[in-house]
Amino acid sequence: MHGDVYADMMVALSVRWPQDNLLAVMAAEAIMSAQPWDYWEADGITNKGRAATAIALAETVLARAPNDPQAIHLLIHLTEASGHPERAAAAAARLEGVAPAAPHMVHMPSHTWYRLGRFADSVAANQRAIAADEAYARAVGAEPRFYGYFNHHTHFILSSAMQLGDRATALAAATALEASLTPDKVAGNARAEMRRLSSTQARLHFMTQDEVLAMPEPDGRLALTRILWRGARAEALASKGQIGAATAELKALRSARTAFFRPGRSPEDTRQRLIAMIDGSAQAHLLAARGDTEAALRLYQSLETVEARLPYSEPPLWPIPIAVRAGELRLAQGDKAGAAADFRRALALRPGLRLAAQGLANAG
C-alpha cells in the first residue's frame, strides 16, 4: 500500500515537471518497487500494472540523456523478462562504459545478454564485475574475496557457461560459489541454498553417469541439494539399466520431498515446483529405461508446464530447458521431426543454447 502511494506521488511529480530526468527515473523505480519483478503477463508482451508507464519514463530519459546509468539499469530490469529483451540492448551496450568502476553497472548488461543468447558476453561482463568488486574492496580496505555481489555474478558465469557447454568455466564458477556459500552459511537460508544449488546443477550437467554415482552425499543440512542428488542418481541408474536401484532412489527422493514439505508450507512455494521438476525428470528417465517412451514424453510435456510456472529468476532456476530432454529422447527413438520441434521450443526459451542448437542440427 505505501509503495503504491509513493509511486502515485512520484508519477504525479514527473507529470508536473516532465523535463526533469531525476524525477522520471525516481518515478519509474517507484513503480517497479510497488510491483517488484512482476511487469509482464505470461505472454511476455502484455504489461502488468503500471510497467508500461515505467518503461516509457525510462525510455523518455534515455531519449534525452542516452547515458543515464540508472535509466539504463531500470530499462534492463523492466525488459529482461519480456518477449523483447532486445529493447534494452543498445542501452545495455553503453552502460559499462558509462560506469566502469561501478561493479553492478558492469554486471547489468549480462541480464540482457543472457536473454538474447549472448552467453559469452554474459560470462565476460560478470568476470569484469567481480574484478571491479575486488578493486573497490581493496580501495576501501575490505577483504576482496567474495566481496559485494560475488555470488550473483558467479551464478551468472556458471549458468551462462552451461548454455555454451563450457565445462571448465562452469565448474570453476561452481567451485567458487561453493567456497563462498558454505553449508554453514547456507543452512536454514532457503534463498542461499537455491543459489548454491546451481553449483550442483552445473556439476551434474557435465558428469558422466559413473561420476554422478560416485558423487558424495551432500551435507545433511542442505535438504534441497540432497533431493537434487537423489534425482540425479535415479537418472544415472536408470540410464545404466539398473531399474531396481533407480526405483529405490526415486522412492528415497519422494520420502525426502514429503519431509521437506511439512504441513503448512504453501503449495505455491517455488521450491515445491523445482522439486517437482527434479522428481519428474527422474521419473521420465525411469519410464524411458523401462521402454515406455510415450509415457516419458508425456511427462516431459507436463514438466514444461511446471517449468513455465517457475518464477522469473536471474539466471533461471532450471538451467537447461526440459524440452531438450524430450528432444534427446525422440532423437534416440528416430523421431527427427518431433525432436526438431522440441529443440526449437528450447531455443525459443533459451536462444543460443548450444545443446539445443546441436540437437536441432542432428535432427535435420
Side-chain angles (χ1 to χ4, degrees):
M1 177 63 74
H2 294 303
D4 288 331
V5 171
Y6 176 64
D8 290 342
M9 179 183 71
M10 293 310 306
V11 170
L13 289 172
S14 71
V15 170
R16 185 172 179 182
W17 287 285
Q19 298 303 313
D20 192 309
N21 288 347
L22 178 59
L23 282 178
V25 167
M26 291 178 68
E29 188 170 5
I31 290 170
M32 294 168 70
S33 296
Q35 54 182 92
W37 314 112
D38 191 25
Y39 313 130
W40 300 94
E41 299 291 353
D43 62 8
I45 304 299
T46 307
N47 291 120
K48 281 187 175 183
R50 290 189 287 187
T53 300
I55 292 171
L57 286 163
E59 290 185 328
T60 295
V61 171
L62 291 173
R64 295 191 295 243
N67 291 334
D68 186 296
Q70 182 63 344
I72 298 174
H73 179 200
L74 299 183
L75 185 64
I76 291 171
H77 277 313
L78 283 162
T79 57
E80 64 182 308
S82 76
H84 293 287
E86 71 278 4
R87 190 169 180 175
R94 298 192 297 270
L95 184 54
E96 183 176 348
V98 172
H104 193 59
M105 297 298 102
V106 174
H107 149 82
M108 272 306 302
S110 67
H111 287 242
T112 298
W113 303 155
Y114 192 104
R115 287 284 287 112
L116 294 178
R118 293 173 55 175
F119 299 116
D121 289 334
S122 176
V123 168
N126 283 284
Q127 289 171 336
R128 292 193 298 270
I130 290 172
D133 257 331
E134 291 174 346
Y136 181 82
R138 286 190 290 269
V140 298
E143 167 56 53
R145 192 166 184 247
F146 310 143
Y147 189 81
Y149 271 30
F150 176 86
N151 294 334
H152 185 49
H153 299 158
T154 303
H155 187 188
F156 254 92
I157 292 170
L158 180 156
S159 189
S160 299
M162 284 181 71
Q163 311 312 306
L164 291 169
D166 182 348
R167 184 180 189 276
T169 299
L171 295 188
T175 298
L177 196 61
E178 289 163 351
S180 174
L181 293 173
T182 63
D184 285 341
K185 291 181 181 178
V186 167
N189 185 329
R191 182 185 177 114
E193 187 183 357
M194 286 183 71
R195 177 160 287 173
R196 192 183 195 277
L197 189 74
S198 65
S199 66
T200 305
Q201 289 172 323
R203 293 191 185 286
L204 292 169
H205 178 70
F206 290 105
M207 281 180 172
T208 65
Q209 294 160 6
D210 288 337
E211 287 171 337
V212 169
L213 295 174
M215 188 177 186
E217 188 170 356
D219 189 293
R221 294 168 293 178
L222 306 181
L224 187 58
T225 307
R226 288 167 66 86
I227 289 172
L228 177 63
W229 175 77
R230 288 283 184 199
R233 286 180 58 81
E235 291 185 16
L237 288 164
S239 296
K240 289 171 73 70
Q242 298 179 31
I243 305 301
T247 301
E249 283 291 351
L250 185 57
K251 183 178 179 180
L253 185 161
R254 289 175 173 170
S255 294
R257 180 181 184 180
T258 299
F260 188 84
F261 288 103
R262 57 184 180 271
R265 271 198 177 146
S266 168
E268 295 302 305
D269 190 306
T270 296
R271 290 167 296 173
Q272 183 142 292
R273 295 177 186 171
L274 190 57
I275 292 171
M277 296 288 293
I278 296 167
D279 182 312
S281 180
Q283 185 181 356
H285 266 72
L286 189 52
L287 288 166
R290 287 173 173 161
D292 197 345
T293 302
E294 290 306 312
L297 289 170
R298 286 194 299 272
L299 183 50
Y300 280 138
Q301 185 176 17
S302 70
L303 289 176
E304 287 189 53
T305 302
V306 178
E307 183 180 19
R309 293 182 64 229
L310 288 170
Y312 180 77
S313 180
E314 313 153 333
L317 296 172
W318 194 258
I320 303 296
I322 204 71
V324 170
R325 293 287 184 86
E328 290 171 341
L329 180 55
R330 287 189 210 274
L331 200 56
Q333 298 297 312
D335 179 6
K336 290 190 174 184
D342 291 330
F343 291 128
R344 286 192 186 98
R345 282 199 314 284
L347 286 167
L349 186 63
R350 197 72 44 75
L353 173 59
R354 188 160 297 176
L355 200 58
Q358 290 171 342
L360 185 58
N362 292 337

